[in-house]
Amino acid sequence: ATFYVWARVPGGQSSMDFCARVLAEKGVVVTPGLGFGPGGEGWFRISLTAPDDRIAVAAERLGAL
């Protein structure tokens, strides 16, 4: 088991562009997959190390994007 969830970047955006958009528009930090090598492009990583209530708020914000 890990403390992370990997998700596909929606809409064919780059992982860097998507993660920058999430931060700018929703105030949620997610990690671009490209940072883990070329195979990570098209994916982003969500950390599950925050308290459950904070993860729930972040999930709602991501869902509204």
Side-chain angles (χ1 to χ4, degrees):
T2 67
F3 297 101
Y4 307 102
V5 172
W6 286 88
R8 183 158 305 277
V9 174
Q13 302 173 67
S14 75
S15 61
M16 295 289 287
D17 288 344
F18 176 74
C19 292
R21 179 178 169 215
V22 170
L23 179 58
E25 293 183 20
K26 298 298 178 180
V28 175
V29 176
V30 292
T31 307
L34 184 60
F36 298 93
E41 184 53 67
W43 296 86
F44 66 100
R45 190 175 82 167
I46 303 165
S47 174
L48 302 177
T49 58
D52 290 346
D53 59 328
R54 301 236 10 222
I55 292 172
V57 169
E60 287 179 29
R61 290 179 185 179
L62 280 172
L65 190 67

